[in-house]
Amino acid sequence: MPYEPTTASTTPPARYGDPIYHPTTIQQPAMSLAELPPGVEMVTLPNGYRTLAYTHPTPPPAAPAAQPIPAWAKTTALLAPTVGGGIAAAGFGISYAAPGLIAMTDSLWAAIALIAAGTLAPLLLRTTRGAGRGTAPVQHVTQNISASGMFGRATGTLNQR
């Protein structure tokens, strides 16, 4: 048996004017927005349709009440430029003092070297003096100086033992 297509449709017959199968467009007279009476506006509904509707006038938003500025904010606002100025002044001071600080560190290193040489020299002299020649006799020198008056001539004696 050959294949014969059937003409029967699985969809129900069309019903004109049915909003599900064949929605009809409703022609509404166009009205300019300037002709609308007060309280009527063109609104968009949640499903996307635009229509005219009565609206309630929205009052302008109330101005926010002035809040007092907290004390911590005032203190912080006053301290910020003071602290910034102090840091800037410290930076300038350090930049001007840098050559002097470098010279002071050099002089401190020189003083440390002098102290080290002063403490190590007698120790080195004692060790080298005793090892080379034995013990040398100790000499005592006494000097007496006297002067009469503020601008008087000084005289003195030298005694060796």
Side-chain angles (χ1 to χ4, degrees), residues 10-36:
T10 57
T11 59
R15 296 175 291 182
Y16 292 103
D18 189 359
I20 296 174
Y21 295 110
H22 297 285
T24 58
T25 58
I26 300 172
Q27 298 294 331
Q28 295 180 353
M31 185 178 211
S32 70
L33 294 178
E35 297 175 356
L36 295 177

Side-chain angles (χ1 to χ4, degrees), residues 9 26 63 67 123 149:
S9 173
I26 300 172
Q67 299 283 336
L123 294 175

